[in-house]
Amino acid sequence: MPHLAAGHGRTVVTAAQILLPALRGAGTDDETGRGLRVVSTLARERGASRTKAGKTLWFALTPPRR
């Protein structure tokens, strides 16, 4: 993971599944498939890697200017 600058936030999630996320399209009736698109739109940077236990996903956000 890249260095996190002061005043920024990072979220890290671990999961037992080994399949890494991939951007995909979601139809209007689909109940899944939009999460990574939302994260990609809002996050300054994001990443994923496999681990012995599954995978780790992370994203960094830049807070809004005041």
Side-chain angles (χ1 to χ4, degrees), residues 10-32:
R10 178 182 292 143
T11 300
V12 178
V13 178
T14 58
Q17 302 93 350
I18 60 170
L19 184 63
L20 294 178
L23 285 173
R24 60 185 174 110
T28 56
D29 293 334
D30 291 345
E31 294 182 6
T32 62

Side-chain angles (χ1 to χ4, degrees), residues 35-66:
L36 189 56
R37 177 91 45 208
V38 171
V39 169
S40 294
T41 300
L42 298 175
R44 182 172 43 87
E45 49 190 340
R46 65 176 176 83
S49 60
R50 288 191 173 91
T51 65
K52 289 182 180 181
K55 63 185 169 192
T56 297
L57 313 164
W58 64 270
F59 62 91
L61 299 174
T62 301
R65 295 183 183 200
R66 294 181 188 208

